Amino acid sequence: MNLTLHVWRQSGPRDEGRFETFKPEGITESMSFLDMLDLVNEEITVDGGEPIAFEHDCREGICGSCGMVVNGVAHGPEKLVTACQLHMRSFSDGDEIWVEPWRASAFPVMRDLVVDRSSFDRIIQAGGYVSIRTGSAQDANAIPVPKPNADRAFDAAACIGCGACVAACPNASAMLFTSAKAAHLSYLPQGQTERLERAVGMVAIHDEEGFGNCTNHGACQEVCPKGISVDYISRLNRDLLKANLTGVEPGD
Amino acid sequence: MRRVLSLFDSTVGKKAVMAVSGLILFGFVFAHMAGNLKAFEGQESFDAYAQFLRDLGYPALPEYGVLWIARIVLLLAVAVHIIAAIQLWSRSRKARGSRYRKSDSQVFSYASRTMRWGGVIVALFVVYHLLHLTTGTVHPDFEYGSVYANLVVAFQSVPVVLFYVVAVGALSLHLYHGLWSVFSTLGVQNPKIDRIRRPLAGGVAFVLFAGYVAVPLGVLSGIISL
Ligand code: SF4
Ligand code: FES
């Protein structure tokens, strides 16, 4: 396949950044998008240049490391896949492809396509956990959980923290991520005790980190590789409003 | 009160404030539309309706009492709605930081993308509309109290009618996205409502649009005349 690739290059957080154009050779349809970038990087290294920095780990769509905006869409044109699971057969010969990092002030670009997503960790630290001693694993059906709730909790827990929701949101809001991380606990009995203070704590840090507000566009749900539903946002809103109106503070 | 004010601290709380003030404004917009349709009943009935609004609550309250209370509530709702919108808008701009070279806006509905500018158009229209038919400042031949006559004269002009249709269109789009968002923003979680909220919002927005354009078009086509 012959492609024209425009990749965002930025040497560090303070660099302004610019696009660099590549015309890689030897790309085949069965390559993944990251394989293709590897190939480009080999060429760059042979020519003595700096390879394109991008994050990756599992390359099977489960770790959430990889992520880039391909032709204006987070994780590229295919639905329900991460960039590592996107294949070149989704493009046609002669295509021009623009590759950019996630753009959000809460995700500063470290280098090329690599962004710092530690703001997500801080949202989790603000309440995305259950503070009880767990001991050894319980008997599986010691605590009954209604099947629909178990399913909803499980669907929410599928979030891999990739950040595509933020990248796609016109407000750079992280409400899809935050709400999924709250919901996988709030649907389960173990998550009830801290439910409201969790909502207050996580939303407060979400805002503090500089993410925008949700305006119900639904762009996050469109690009989310795990199909997380915006319904979770509504659930988090409800918990937060309840907490506000009953005077629950974070850490109560 | 402190709790209500603390709502304003978070983005989610600000959105809730926008949702509630938006609902109040929506209630007014709907009642206003329904009242307008009285124009089809002729001059007497329409002017009597206007008088009824002025006298509402009288003698328990002074004349114009309810009218002014409603105006103050609406003004407050508008103020809160706009302040929260501007604060959130500026937050979002900062949150994006640098812009994408390429962005695919197909994932957003037209109504959601035009929410902010649509809101600005509606706000400007409301100012014009008040100067046009409430104070009469920009009306060619305004006579205080002759509501029906003022209306008929106002809509003789095609450009004025066109402007109304565009503004009401912007209002309907704004309300379409606003109405179905309200459920999510206020955390209504009911699968039955979830399923119908989009068509419901669409239907209500359409009824509003149709109801509002009916009067100016009725004047232009001569169905409503002096
Ligand atoms: S909600 Fe979806 S898009 Fe957002 S971080 Fe989780 S997996 Fe990624
Ligand atoms: S590399 Fe793990 S999800 Fe893509």
Side-chain angles (χ1 to χ4, degrees):
Chain A
M1 295 175 86
N2 287 315
L3 298 169
T4 310
L5 207 61
H6 305 281
V7 184
W8 185 257
R9 302 306 304 269
Q10 185 171 336
S11 62
R14 278 170 215 284
D15 183 16
E16 264 197 2
R18 69 216 61 83
F19 282 98
E20 193 176 337
T21 305
F22 301 93
K23 295 210 174 236
E25 277 169 25
I27 297 171
T28 63
E29 296 200 331
S30 58
M31 284 182 172
S32 77
F33 203 78
L34 302 193
D35 290 340
M36 185 274 293
L37 288 179
D38 287 337
L39 195 87
V40 175
N41 275 346
E42 272 173 37
E43 278 177 34
I44 298 178
T45 327
V46 168
D47 296 342
E50 277 292 327
I52 303 162
F54 61 92
E55 274 194 87
H56 58 98
D57 187 16
C58 69
R59 297 217 182 192
E60 53 182 7
I62 54 168
C63 75
S65 306
C66 66
M68 49 199 76
V69 172
V70 181
N71 281 345
V73 182
H75 288 307
E78 298 294 331
K79 289 228 183 294
L80 298 171
V81 292
T82 50
C84 59
Q85 292 284 290
L86 174 67
H87 285 85
M88 297 315 290
R89 54 178 168 270
S90 304
F91 300 90
S92 345
D93 200 44
D95 272 1
E96 220 176 317
I97 305 177
W98 294 83
V99 190
E100 299 177 64
W102 293 165
R103 292 197 194 278
S105 351
F107 285 168
V109 175
M110 303 313 286
R111 192 184 180 100
D112 301 341
L113 305 174
V114 178
V115 299
D116 176 359
R117 282 172 297 183
S118 51
S119 45
F120 268 13
D121 300 340
R122 290 187 286 275
I123 292 179
I124 300 289
Q125 282 161 7
Y129 49 79
V130 169
S131 30
I132 48 164
R133 237 189 290 178
T134 49
S136 54
Q138 296 210 20
D139 201 18
N141 37 20
I143 306 174
V145 180
K147 175 76 165 106
N149 287 5
D151 285 348
R152 285 189 201 111
F154 193 81
D155 287 348
C159 167
I160 53 176
C162 63
C165 42
V166 176
C169 174
N171 306 305
S173 171
M175 281 303 278
L176 193 64
F177 165 81
T178 310
S179 67
K181 292 301 180 195
H184 75 129
L185 303 173
S186 79
Y187 271 113
L188 297 177
Q190 294 89 336
Q192 296 312 311
T193 332
E194 294 159 299
R195 181 167 170 183
L196 296 188
E197 48 176 286
R198 173 179 307 120
V200 187
M202 291 176 83
V203 170
I205 299 299
H206 167 278
D207 292 354
E208 210 178 292
E209 291 290 337
F211 293 105
N213 71 295
C214 169
T215 51
N216 303 302
H217 283 271
C220 49
Q221 179 179 272
E222 290 298 311
V223 301
C224 174
K226 298 295 147 185
I228 306 287
S229 151
V230 290
D231 291 349
Y232 294 121
I233 299 183
S234 157
R235 185 178 175 84
L236 180 60
N237 288 345
R238 182 205 193 92
D239 283 355
L240 184 98
L241 295 177
K242 220 195 222 166
N244 269 175
L245 294 175
T246 53
V248 173
E249 309 269 337
D252 262 7
Chain B
M1 194 62 201
R2 230 193 80 221
R3 285 180 188 168
V4 175
L5 283 180
S6 77
L7 267 184
F8 230 69
D9 290 344
S10 74
T11 52
V12 173
K14 276 198 185 43
K15 296 289 305 199
V17 169
M18 284 193 76
V20 171
S21 55
L23 275 178
I24 294 174
L25 295 171
F26 163 73
F28 164 73
V29 161
F30 201 88
H32 186 7
M33 184 274 293
N36 283 358
L37 293 179
K38 284 231 176 290
F40 285 100
E41 286 180 6
Q43 182 154 19
E44 224 167 275
S45 163
F46 196 61
D47 284 352
Y49 171 66
Q51 190 58 43
F52 159 78
L53 289 181
R54 287 186 213 114
D55 293 345
L56 206 63
Y58 185 78
L61 292 167
E63 249 180 302
Y64 293 88
V66 170
L67 200 63
W68 271 106
I69 293 173
R71 283 174 177 168
I72 290 167
V73 170
L74 289 173
L75 214 60
L76 281 176
V78 168
V80 173
H81 200 73
I82 293 180
I83 290 171
I86 292 175
Q87 288 177 339
L88 290 170
W89 190 345
S90 98
R91 253 197 89 86
S92 292
R93 291 184 66 98
K94 278 192 221 119
R96 169 57 72 231
S98 55
R99 301 187 149 263
Y100 287 111
R101 158 83 220 305
K102 236 182 118 105
S103 75
D104 188 346
S105 57
Q106 274 165 352
V107 289
F108 318 131
S109 77
Y110 184 75
S112 74
R113 266 186 292 143
T114 51
M115 214 45 193
R116 285 165 182 154
W117 285 111
V120 171
I121 293 176
V122 171
L124 291 177
F125 166 73
V126 168
V127 172
Y128 166 78
H129 183 52
L130 289 176
L131 294 175
H132 191 203
L133 287 171
T134 304
T135 66
T137 323
V138 297
H139 190 282
D141 185 18
F142 191 79
E143 200 179 317
Y144 186 78
S146 330
V147 182
Y148 185 84
N150 289 339
L151 174 128
V152 173
V153 172
F155 291 139
Q156 298 298 346
S157 146
V158 177
V160 168
V161 170
L162 272 183
F163 180 52
Y164 267 81
V165 172
V166 170
V168 168
L171 175 68
S172 305
L173 273 179
H174 192 81
L175 280 172
Y176 165 61
H177 184 74
L179 274 176
W180 85 260
S181 292
V182 153
F183 295 100
S184 172
T185 304
L186 294 182
V188 177
Q189 288 233 307
N190 180 330
K192 280 201 204 100
I193 295 181
D194 278 355
R195 237 172 291 132
I196 56 161
R197 60 186 187 164
R198 258 190 200 265
L200 191 74
V204 172
F206 180 76
V207 168
L208 274 177
F209 180 75
Y212 270 119
V213 297
V215 174
L217 292 185
V219 173
L220 260 196
S221 60
I223 301 173
I224 301 174
S225 61
L226 282 172

CSV table of all heavy atoms in Angstrom, one decimal, chain A residues 217-237:
chain,number,residue,atom,x,y,z
A,217,HIS,N,-22.8,15.4,24.1
A,217,HIS,CA,-22.6,15.2,22.7
A,217,HIS,C,-22.6,13.7,22.4
A,217,HIS,O,-23.1,13.3,21.3
A,217,HIS,CB,-21.2,15.7,22.2
A,217,HIS,CG,-21.2,17.2,22.0
A,217,HIS,ND1,-21.5,17.8,20.9
A,217,HIS,CD2,-20.8,18.1,22.9
A,217,HIS,CE1,-21.4,19.1,21.1
A,217,HIS,NE2,-20.9,19.3,22.3
A,218,GLY,N,-22.0,12.9,23.2
A,218,GLY,CA,-21.9,11.5,23.0
A,218,GLY,C,-20.7,11.1,22.1
A,218,GLY,O,-20.6,9.9,21.7
A,219,ALA,N,-19.8,12.0,21.9
A,219,ALA,CA,-18.6,11.6,21.0
A,219,ALA,C,-17.8,10.6,21.7
A,219,ALA,O,-17.2,9.7,21.1
A,219,ALA,CB,-17.8,12.9,20.8
A,220,CYS,N,-17.7,10.6,23.1
A,220,CYS,CA,-16.9,9.7,23.9
A,220,CYS,C,-17.4,8.3,23.6
A,220,CYS,O,-16.6,7.4,23.3
A,220,CYS,CB,-17.1,10.0,25.3
A,220,CYS,SG,-18.8,10.3,25.9
A,221,GLN,N,-18.7,8.1,23.7
A,221,GLN,CA,-19.3,6.8,23.5
A,221,GLN,C,-19.0,6.2,22.1
A,221,GLN,O,-18.8,5.1,21.9
A,221,GLN,CB,-20.8,6.9,23.8
A,221,GLN,CG,-21.6,5.6,23.6
A,221,GLN,CD,-23.1,5.9,23.9
A,221,GLN,OE1,-23.5,5.8,25.0
A,221,GLN,NE2,-23.8,6.3,22.9
A,222,GLU,N,-19.0,7.1,21.1
A,222,GLU,CA,-18.7,6.7,19.7
A,222,GLU,C,-17.3,6.2,19.6
A,222,GLU,O,-17.1,5.2,18.9
A,222,GLU,CB,-18.8,7.9,18.8
A,222,GLU,CG,-20.2,8.5,18.5
A,222,GLU,CD,-21.1,7.4,17.9
A,222,GLU,OE1,-20.7,6.8,16.9
A,222,GLU,OE2,-22.2,7.3,18.5
A,223,VAL,N,-16.3,6.8,20.3
A,223,VAL,CA,-14.9,6.3,20.0
A,223,VAL,C,-14.5,5.3,21.1
A,223,VAL,O,-13.4,4.7,20.9
A,223,VAL,CB,-14.0,7.5,20.0
A,223,VAL,CG1,-14.3,8.5,19.0
A,223,VAL,CG2,-13.9,8.2,21.4
A,224,CYS,N,-15.2,5.1,22.1
A,224,CYS,CA,-14.7,4.3,23.2
A,224,CYS,C,-14.5,2.9,22.7
A,224,CYS,O,-15.4,2.2,22.2
A,224,CYS,CB,-15.7,4.3,24.4
A,224,CYS,SG,-15.2,3.1,25.6
A,225,PRO,N,-13.2,2.4,22.8
A,225,PRO,CA,-13.0,1.0,22.3
A,225,PRO,C,-13.7,-0.1,23.1
A,225,PRO,O,-13.8,-1.2,22.6
A,225,PRO,CB,-11.5,0.9,22.4
A,225,PRO,CG,-11.1,1.8,23.5
A,225,PRO,CD,-12.0,3.0,23.4
A,226,LYS,N,-14.2,0.3,24.3
A,226,LYS,CA,-14.8,-0.7,25.1
A,226,LYS,C,-16.3,-0.5,25.1
A,226,LYS,O,-17.1,-1.2,25.9
A,226,LYS,CB,-14.3,-0.7,26.5
A,226,LYS,CG,-12.8,-1.1,26.5
A,226,LYS,CD,-12.5,-2.5,26.1
A,226,LYS,CE,-11.2,-2.6,25.3
A,226,LYS,NZ,-11.0,-4.0,24.8
A,227,GLY,N,-16.8,0.4,24.3
A,227,GLY,CA,-18.3,0.6,24.2
A,227,GLY,C,-18.9,1.0,25.5
A,227,GLY,O,-20.1,0.7,25.8
A,228,ILE,N,-18.2,1.8,26.4
A,228,ILE,CA,-18.8,2.3,27.6
A,228,ILE,C,-19.9,3.3,27.3
A,228,ILE,O,-19.8,4.1,26.4
A,228,ILE,CB,-17.7,3.0,28.4
A,228,ILE,CG1,-16.5,2.2,28.7
A,228,ILE,CG2,-18.3,3.6,29.7
A,228,ILE,CD1,-16.6,1.1,29.7
A,229,SER,N,-21.0,3.1,28.0
A,229,SER,CA,-22.2,3.9,27.6
A,229,SER,C,-22.3,5.2,28.4
A,229,SER,O,-21.9,5.2,29.6
A,229,SER,CB,-23.5,3.1,27.9
A,229,SER,OG,-24.5,3.9,28.2
A,230,VAL,N,-22.8,6.2,27.8
A,230,VAL,CA,-23.0,7.5,28.5
A,230,VAL,C,-24.0,7.5,29.6
A,230,VAL,O,-24.1,8.4,30.4
A,230,VAL,CB,-23.4,8.7,27.5
A,230,VAL,CG1,-22.2,9.0,26.6
A,230,VAL,CG2,-24.6,8.3,26.7
A,231,ASP,N,-24.7,6.4,29.7
A,231,ASP,CA,-25.7,6.3,30.8
A,231,ASP,C,-25.0,6.3,32.2
A,231,ASP,O,-25.5,6.8,33.1
A,231,ASP,CB,-26.4,4.9,30.7
A,231,ASP,CG,-27.4,4.9,29.5
A,231,ASP,OD1,-27.6,6.0,29.0
A,231,ASP,OD2,-27.9,3.8,29.2
A,232,TYR,N,-23.7,5.9,32.2
A,232,TYR,CA,-23.0,5.9,33.4
A,232,TYR,C,-22.8,7.3,33.9
A,232,TYR,O,-22.7,7.6,35.1
A,232,TYR,CB,-21.6,5.2,33.3
A,232,TYR,CG,-21.8,3.7,33.1
A,232,TYR,CD1,-21.2,3.1,31.9
A,232,TYR,CD2,-22.4,2.9,34.0
A,232,TYR,CE1,-21.3,1.7,31.7
A,232,TYR,CE2,-22.5,1.5,33.8
A,232,TYR,CZ,-22.0,1.0,32.7
A,232,TYR,OH,-22.1,-0.4,32.4
A,233,ILE,N,-22.6,8.3,32.9
A,233,ILE,CA,-22.4,9.7,33.3
A,233,ILE,C,-23.7,10.2,34.0
A,233,ILE,O,-23.6,10.9,35.0
A,233,ILE,CB,-22.2,10.5,32.0
A,233,ILE,CG1,-20.9,10.0,31.3
A,233,ILE,CG2,-22.1,12.0,32.4
A,233,ILE,CD1,-20.5,10.9,30.1
A,234,SER,N,-24.8,9.8,33.5
A,234,SER,CA,-26.0,10.2,34.2
A,234,SER,C,-26.1,9.7,35.6
A,234,SER,O,-26.5,10.4,36.5
A,234,SER,CB,-27.2,9.7,33.3
A,234,SER,OG,-28.3,9.6,34.0
A,235,ARG,N,-25.6,8.5,35.8
A,235,ARG,CA,-25.6,7.9,37.1
A,235,ARG,C,-24.7,8.6,38.1
A,235,ARG,O,-25.0,8.9,39.2
A,235,ARG,CB,-25.2,6.4,37.0
A,235,ARG,CG,-25.3,5.6,38.3
A,235,ARG,CD,-24.9,4.2,38.1
A,235,ARG,NE,-24.8,3.4,39.3
A,235,ARG,CZ,-25.9,2.9,39.9
A,235,ARG,NH1,-27.1,3.0,39.3
A,235,ARG,NH2,-25.7,2.2,41.0
A,236,LEU,N,-23.5,9.0,37.5
A,236,LEU,CA,-22.6,9.7,38.4
A,236,LEU,C,-23.2,11.1,38.7
A,236,LEU,O,-23.0,11.6,39.8
A,236,LEU,CB,-21.2,9.9,37.6
A,236,LEU,CG,-20.2,10.7,38.4
A,236,LEU,CD1,-19.8,10.0,39.7
A,236,LEU,CD2,-18.9,10.8,37.5
A,237,ASN,N,-23.8,11.8,37.7
A,237,ASN,CA,-24.4,13.1,38.0
A,237,ASN,C,-25.4,12.9,39.1
A,237,ASN,O,-25.5,13.8,40.0
A,237,ASN,CB,-25.2,13.5,36.7
A,237,ASN,CG,-24.3,14.0,35.6
A,237,ASN,OD1,-23.1,14.2,35.8
A,237,ASN,ND2,-24.8,14.1,34.4
